[in-house]
Amino acid sequence: MANAVVILGAQWGDEGKGKIVDALTEKADVVARFQGGHNAGHTVVIDDETFILHLIPSGILHGNKICIIGNGVVIDPAALLSEMEELKEKGIELNHNLRISKNAHLIMPYHMAIEREKEKSKGNKKIGTTGRGIGPAYVDKMARTGIRVVDLLYPEIFREKIEANLKDINFLLENLYHGETFTVDEIYNKYMEYAELLYDFIDDTDILVNRYLDEGKNVLFEGAQGTLLDIDHGTYPYVTSSSASAGGVCTGIGVSPLKIDTILGVVKAYTTRVGGGPFPTEIHDALGEEIRKRGGEYGATTGRPRRCGWLDMVALKHSVRINGFTGLIITKLDILDGLDKIKVCFGYEYNGKVYDEFPKELSILENCTPIYKEYDGWKESTSGIRDFSKLPPKAQQYIQLIEESLGVSVDIISTGQKRNQIIIRRNHFL
């Protein structure tokens, strides 16, 4: 009996995980977010009302679920409180149902300043970050100079840590970047206001999650970004700063891998990427723009247009291996409706050599030529279909092609933005 299910992005993020988490939350008791920051945006449409969540798990839209922000997440208190306020304005209750890990690290104002200045200094070598301080917060975490949520509960310790950090930070901002510096008082006073507002939500979330699992409760672990943006297994350095693959669940929440039953990979029916970095199957002509418009491919957090391309089996095979997916979820199948031809990449060619495994070398990924197989499109609408057998035959064949190529079953198919536009072929939390 499965009671611990992980949902991860299998590509470069933006696969539609928010809707899927929302759909599966119906049978979950707890939804826990394990990594990333408020650079991620999960979009959920309920009765024609759109909710965009950045830090709080999508399960919050179901009133009787416990939502946990784990220790692997980095938190900007201002962004979190703003999100909480927006939810309250839309009638979503927040009390005991939201818990925040004491061990989660805080994004500080100087993290945002440093990130913006560093990106400016890189010129055309920019990573394409959101400038929200996520990367520098993770840097401080690894350098053991980070400030955690638990420090908000101890004002004297919190102030001492700010004082220690600002000595180096202000020197860097002033002498290297010629930017504005910070004072201890302005940060301390503002964050003490945040502490008062967040106090009732702070908890030992690792203890909570393990207790829920031991009690047999259904726990859904929610990731942000995607495997190809993982700090270790993505297209480094064009990646995020956290572990967005399956291993991040255990470290980002505090659970043993032995407690995880199911790992689901979310795959868009095509491929998208935001920001810089290699993208072998990117479509550079008018069709790429058409898919972007059809799919509404603009960042939920930043509004930046996403780069669009064909499905990439080389990259997906890498994701399947890294994560050990027990099932796949295909989203945005309806966006491919009406296309005459659909291409799928099964290899890369570079300097006369064919690669069927995902290369680690950035130079190969940036300069390779994708090897495609072309298939007839279904040229019919799949929008809103809820029964696999009612999909057009060629759409069914496309799903079967993915299953056979990756050796993993497709358990869920999304056929539109709305909560009920979904085909569930295999139930989880059974």
Side-chain angles (χ1 to χ4, degrees):
M1 178 176 176
N3 74 321
V5 175
V6 176
I7 292 185
L8 297 169
Q11 296 158 304
W12 279 288
D14 309 310
E15 300 95 347
K17 296 181 291 297
K19 174 190 170 174
I20 301 304
V21 170
D22 176 68
L24 292 186
T25 295
E26 185 179 344
K27 292 188 176 181
D29 301 301
V30 181
V31 184
R33 166 87 178 271
F34 64 87
Q35 50 76 226
H38 63 305
N39 52 344
H42 287 177
T43 303
V44 180
V45 179
I46 302 173
D47 298 330
D48 295 322
E49 185 169 18
T50 299
F51 295 83
I52 299 178
L53 300 160
H54 303 282
L55 283 165
I56 300 173
S58 310
I60 203 70
L61 303 178
H62 298 252
N64 59 339
K65 312 297 179 179
I66 303 296
C67 290
I68 290 173
I69 299 176
N71 59 273
V73 179
V74 288
I75 298 172
D76 178 343
L80 176 57
L81 287 164
S82 174
E83 190 170 324
M84 291 166 67
E85 190 58 37
E86 287 174 16
L87 287 170
K88 288 176 186 174
E89 288 173 1
K90 291 187 175 184
I92 305 299
E93 189 176 349
L94 295 171
N95 43 54
H96 67 280
N97 59 342
L98 177 63
R99 314 313 298 157
I100 302 166
S101 172
K102 287 181 179 179
N103 280 354
H105 279 246
L106 293 168
I107 296 173
M108 308 299 288
Y110 49 77
H111 290 140
M112 291 173 259
I114 287 173
E115 184 167 30
R116 286 193 297 267
E117 295 297 339
K118 284 189 80 168
E119 277 286 276
K120 278 194 288 185
S121 71
K122 288 177 181 175
N124 61 5
K125 294 290 185 182
K126 288 179 181 177
I127 300 295
T129 70
T130 57
R132 298 182 177 222
I134 285 91
Y138 278 114
V139 169
D140 277 6
K141 176 178 178 176
M142 293 305 172
R144 302 182 296 280
T145 58
I147 300 177
R148 299 181 299 164
V149 169
V150 69
D151 295 323
L152 291 173
L153 307 180
Y154 300 92
E156 288 184 14
I157 293 173
F158 184 75
R159 188 179 184 93
E160 287 173 7
K161 290 189 174 185
I162 298 172
E163 289 173 348
N165 285 355
L166 282 187
K167 289 177 184 177
D168 291 337
I169 295 294
N170 280 340
F171 181 85
L172 189 68
L173 286 171
E174 185 175 9
N175 294 283
L176 180 60
Y177 297 121
H178 307 293
E180 293 184 14
T181 57
F182 294 89
T183 68
V184 173
D185 283 343
E186 65 180 316
I187 296 176
Y188 175 82
N189 292 337
K190 180 57 68 176
Y191 275 66
M192 284 300 100
E193 291 177 18
Y194 299 151
E196 188 173 346
L197 294 169
L198 293 173
Y199 182 85
D200 289 337
F201 299 94
I202 298 170
D203 213 330
D204 291 303
T205 56
D206 58 319
I207 296 173
L208 280 181
V209 172
N210 280 281
R211 182 189 304 152
Y212 291 139
L213 288 170
D214 291 342
E215 291 171 353
K217 286 185 166 57
N218 292 334
V219 180
L220 189 61
F221 297 102
E222 174 185 20
Q225 289 93 25
T227 303
L228 300 179
L229 291 174
D230 183 274
I231 186 68
D232 288 296
H233 302 293
T235 50
Y236 190 90
Y238 296 95
V239 292
T240 193
S241 300
S242 58
S243 296
S245 53
V249 179
C250 302
T251 56
I253 292 289
V255 295
S256 164
L258 297 175
K259 291 192 174 182
I260 294 170
D261 305 293
T262 300
I263 304 174
L264 301 175
V266 186
V267 179
K268 201 174 282 186
Y270 46 99
T271 310
T272 62
R273 170 159 210 169
V274 171
F279 187 179
T281 65
E282 185 172 6
I283 303 170
H284 295 282
D285 57 21
L287 180 58
E289 180 60 33
E290 182 184 345
I291 291 173
R292 180 183 296 122
K293 288 179 179 177
R294 283 190 188 190
E297 296 296 353
Y298 300 90
T301 298
T302 63
R304 290 185 295 178
R306 297 177 187 139
R307 301 153 65 190
C308 297
W310 297 114
L311 197 64
D312 187 338
M313 290 298 184
V314 183
L316 285 174
K317 189 163 70 170
H318 169 74
S319 289
V320 168
R321 181 175 57 252
I322 292 298
N323 294 297
F325 292 135
T326 57
L328 297 176
I329 299 166
I330 306 299
T331 61
K332 293 201 170 183
L333 183 69
D334 55 305
I335 305 306
L336 299 182
D337 292 355
L339 295 185
D340 288 329
K341 299 290 182 181
I342 295 171
K343 292 181 180 180
V344 179
C345 172
F346 288 94
Y348 307 146
E349 189 276 328
Y350 176 74
N351 279 354
K353 181 179 177 181
V354 174
Y355 293 81
D356 61 1
E357 295 288 359
F358 197 67
K360 307 298 188 295
E361 298 89 343
L362 208 63
S363 57
I364 296 175
L365 286 169
E366 287 177 330
N367 299 291
C368 66
T369 301
I371 300 170
Y372 290 117
K373 288 184 182 178
E374 192 171 74
Y375 302 88
D376 291 333
W378 41 91
K379 300 175 74 172
E380 300 175 54
S381 175
T382 64
S383 181
I385 291 177
R386 301 183 65 186
D387 184 334
F388 183 77
S389 65
K390 292 181 180 177
L391 287 174
K394 285 187 169 60
Q396 293 185 37
Q397 290 166 17
Y398 189 66
I399 298 299
Q400 289 159 359
L401 169 72
I402 294 170
E403 291 181 314
E404 291 165 7
S405 300
L406 299 175
V408 184
S409 64
V410 172
D411 296 347
I412 297 172
I413 303 162
S414 173
T415 57
Q417 265 199 320
K418 294 182 180 178
R419 180 182 269 179
N420 63 351
Q421 293 178 317
I422 195 167
I423 298 169
I424 297 181
R425 302 173 75 197
R426 179 185 170 202
N427 284 314
H428 297 277
F429 295 128
L430 295 177

